[in-house]
């Protein structure tokens, strides 16, 4: 495909989350020209999922001036592998095994495709357009349905020898702790410091106390992290304790990550950060309490200031500008 | 100092361990021409320690052809900072606070000095001369009096934004676990997977059982990791359980490190590795058991094949060949 480079100033970003997939067309300065989303959960076959993505994006591409204006597609996906372009055994997605996702998208769209872990994509987005601008050492943690992470050291994303580095949500923080249904492991960070984790903590705490709580008015299967946050805002003691406990586990985990790569900052992103100081204060306190002296009072915990929907698409699209042969 | 570069083919390596300090003169191919050691524990003032180092090294330098043949000095030290050349709040050394060690050595020897964390130095040594030759992603863990670590990703040592990255011995593996007397923290890796940790585990297990054990013939304050190893070799059940438990904690920690940087291999080094399969087998098993699927059966656990005394000096000396202005 011979294309005029001057026209190829747009990139497609696709972010596959545990619940929804966000996608859009982005210019080099980080302006999102068009965007939309579909469910990540309703397609049993990955081919059908890609077909639906194509339908939506085809229209956007035409409106943006045709595929000649698009330089490539960047995809962020859970368990996405930068080297192979595959999505492998993603615990939070309906498609099992090893999926050659980048190749499938490339065959469908006839455009170059770069793929990485969704949280790695978010980290690149923060480095190019967000809270990590100018930083050479930081860790990005996404606190959504699950917990993802992207680690930047010496100015480069750490991919590891096989492209799978940065699965901090699966590190074991509480040995023999809460079961993670997707992996069968006990006590990983994701079992506690995700929207799912907050929900489970609230249910556990409610079952163990007779103390009155606003959360007792909600049927157990309707409790979610937003309702816990609403209760905390209304002054509910138990709801606050849910966030205190979540911050205790997250803070301990962050201390361990700091003692690994000594970042300038940890950038938090995703639904749980909406709980603001309810979760940030205990997280900071517990991180500091678990750090040895050389690391104390040095590491910033920042909340991403990119809009959530934007950040996912921006991060994925940023992969395009990093592609060598795009 | 105008020196003929062709003559400066030797480097001094100084490795400051929690117990002993090893030092020597090394050529560029990694041959140790002269070496010796002194205690790290008997000098209350760091100045006296450097004076004794100088006395020993002065003789070696003269024998090697004078300081004109020495290109520089590389120092590996616990809590050593690559950027500032300081040793800061090292829990296992007698000198407290922030010590401008590189500057002090430079003033004493009138030679360029590079300094880093002792385990970072060991990692550079393994990458130049040892088990990690040719690897771009690996983690070096030293299991000695304490637990040190050096992390290499994308072919470079991770120093972090402040030069202190890679303090994996202080990551919390068992929340609210055993007290680390040097840091006041509970449940860090070093409290379990060090020579000190094995000793404490043996004493704890002996106090809780009435089962016969060879270790019961040894006064409690004389039990050390070597005696536990000897007992395990003689078939002692309790001694084997001490290593099983140590491998359980170490294996869990290694799994977490793998999910951080996805290394090709973890290189183990130091006194505890002498226990061989008594510690390696449970470590491997527990690492694998705690890894999510994408990481399983991929990561090698290797034992450094460099002689212990050599590796420390080689690693520290290797810093010299990496110095810019040496």
């Amino acid at each position: 495909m011979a294309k005029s480079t001057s026209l190829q100033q747009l990139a497609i970003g696709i972010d596959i989350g545990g619940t929804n997939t966000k996608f859009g067309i982005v210019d080099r300065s980080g302006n999102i020209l068009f965007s939309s989303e579909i469910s990540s959960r309703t397609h049993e076959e990955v081919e059908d999922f890609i077909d639906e993505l194509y339908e939506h994006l085809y229209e956007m591409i035409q409106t943006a001036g045709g595929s000649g204006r698009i330089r490539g597609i960047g995809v962020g996906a859970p368990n996405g592998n930068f080297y192979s372009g595959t999505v492998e055994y993603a615990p939070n997605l309906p498609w099992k095994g090893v999926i050659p996702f980048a190749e499938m998208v490339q065959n469908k769209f006839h455009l170059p495709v770069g793929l990485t872990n969704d949280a790695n994509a978010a980290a690149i987005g923060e480095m190019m357009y967000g809270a990590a601008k100018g930083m050479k050492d930081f860790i990005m943690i996404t606190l959504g349905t699950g917990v993802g992470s992207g680690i930047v050291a010496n100015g480069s994303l750490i991919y590891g020898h096989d492209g799978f580095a940065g699965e901090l949500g699966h590190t074991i923080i509480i040995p023999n702790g809460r079961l993670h249904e997707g992996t069968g492991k006990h006590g990983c960070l994701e079992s506690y410091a995700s929207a799912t984790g907050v929900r489970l903590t609230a249910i556990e705490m409610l079952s163990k106390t007779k103390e009155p709580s606003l959360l007792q008015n909600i049927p157990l299967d309707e409790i979610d992290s937003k309702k816990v946050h609403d209760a905390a805002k209304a002054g509910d003691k138990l709801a606050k304790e849910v966030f205190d406990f979540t911050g205790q586990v997250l803070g301990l985990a962050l201390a361990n990550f700091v003692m690994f790569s000594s970042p300038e900052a940890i950038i938090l992103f995703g639904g749980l950060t909406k709980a603001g100081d309810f979760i940030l204060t205990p997280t900071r306190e517990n991180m500091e309490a678990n750090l040895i002296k050389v690391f104390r009072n040095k590491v910033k915990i920042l909340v991403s200031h990119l809009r959530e929907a934007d950040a996912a698409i921006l991060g994925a699209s940023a992969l395009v500008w990093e592609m060598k042969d795009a």
Side-chain angles (χ1 to χ4, degrees), chain A:
Chain A
M1 283 178 287
K3 289 180 195 165
S4 154
T5 309
S6 64
L7 283 171
Q8 296 172 45
Q9 291 309 312
L10 301 177
I12 291 174
I14 301 174
D15 179 84
I16 305 175
T19 308
N20 291 312
T21 293
K22 290 156 189 157
F23 48 90
I25 297 183
V26 183
D27 71 16
R28 195 142 195 165
S29 312
N31 300 305
I32 299 177
L33 310 183
F34 308 96
S35 68
S36 185
E37 63 181 82
I38 61 175
S39 168
S40 311
R41 300 209 152 275
T42 52
H43 304 80
E44 257 182 63
E45 301 298 327
V46 67
E47 289 82 0
D48 300 335
F49 172 75
I50 292 173
D51 285 348
E52 194 185 338
L53 263 182
Y54 182 77
E55 271 174 47
H56 285 81
L57 273 164
Y58 181 79
E59 263 185 58
M60 281 185 197
I61 293 168
Q62 295 315 112
T63 317
S67 71
R69 294 207 54 203
I70 310 286
R71 181 149 165 190
I73 300 175
V75 181
N79 284 28
N81 189 298
F82 176 72
Y83 295 129
S84 63
T86 52
V87 174
E88 305 195 8
Y89 310 102
N92 297 320
L93 291 179
W95 319 302
K96 299 308 168 200
V98 177
I99 310 206
F101 201 85
E103 194 190 331
M104 294 174 81
V105 172
Q106 188 153 342
N107 291 342
K108 188 81 190 176
F109 286 78
H110 304 287
L111 283 168
V113 177
L115 179 144
T116 190
N117 182 303
D118 50 346
N120 284 346
I124 296 175
E126 290 296 332
M127 196 161 44
M128 283 187 76
Y129 309 113
K133 230 178 194 173
M135 289 188 194
K136 285 183 167 282
D137 299 274
F138 70 96
I139 299 177
M140 169 96 198
I141 312 264
T142 62
L143 305 167
T145 314
V147 173
S149 61
I151 305 151
V152 171
N154 298 326
S156 300
L157 210 57
I158 296 190
Y159 285 115
H161 88 292
D162 61 352
F164 285 118
E167 286 291 348
L168 299 184
H170 295 293
T171 58
I172 310 291
I173 308 303
I174 312 287
N176 306 313
R178 187 181 284 166
L179 174 68
H180 184 291
E181 298 209 346
T183 64
K185 304 295 172 202
H186 287 266
C188 68
L189 179 60
E190 181 164 280
S191 295
Y192 298 94
S194 59
T196 325
V198 166
R199 183 179 166 274
L200 292 173
T201 299
I203 292 171
E204 267 177 36
M205 285 191 173
L206 281 167
S207 76
K208 280 183 194 160
T209 185
K210 284 177 184 165
E211 226 181 276
S213 163
L214 294 171
L215 296 171
Q216 274 151 345
N217 308 329
I218 305 168
L220 278 190
D221 60 355
E222 287 178 19
I223 287 179
D224 60 22
S225 58
K226 188 183 173 306
K227 292 199 176 78
V228 181
H229 181 205
D230 290 342
K233 275 191 290 190
D236 191 71
K237 188 162 165 272
L238 188 133
K240 286 183 192 167
E241 281 168 9
V242 170
F243 286 116
D244 282 348
F245 175 73
T246 308
Q248 203 178 312
V249 179
L250 180 57
L252 169 55
L254 295 189
N256 282 354
F257 305 157
V258 166
M259 295 191 278
F260 196 104
S261 68
S262 201
E264 179 177 347
I266 292 170
I267 320 280
L268 300 179
F269 176 83
L272 269 199
T273 62
K274 288 181 193 146
D277 285 342
F278 290 120
I279 188 156
L280 292 176
T281 303
T283 299
R284 279 201 184 93
E285 281 174 10
N286 283 282
M287 180 181 86
E288 292 294 340
N290 285 294
L291 287 172
I292 56 168
K293 197 175 167 89
V294 281
F295 298 109
R296 242 173 274 158
N297 302 314
K298 273 185 179 178
V299 184
K300 291 170 263 187
I301 297 183
L302 304 173
V303 174
S304 165
H305 51 66
L306 297 176
R307 276 187 50 219
E308 183 164 350
D310 291 0
I313 295 169
L314 281 176
S317 75
L319 276 174
V320 172
W321 314 120
E322 296 212 332
M323 287 197 290
K324 275 178 200 155
D325 44 19

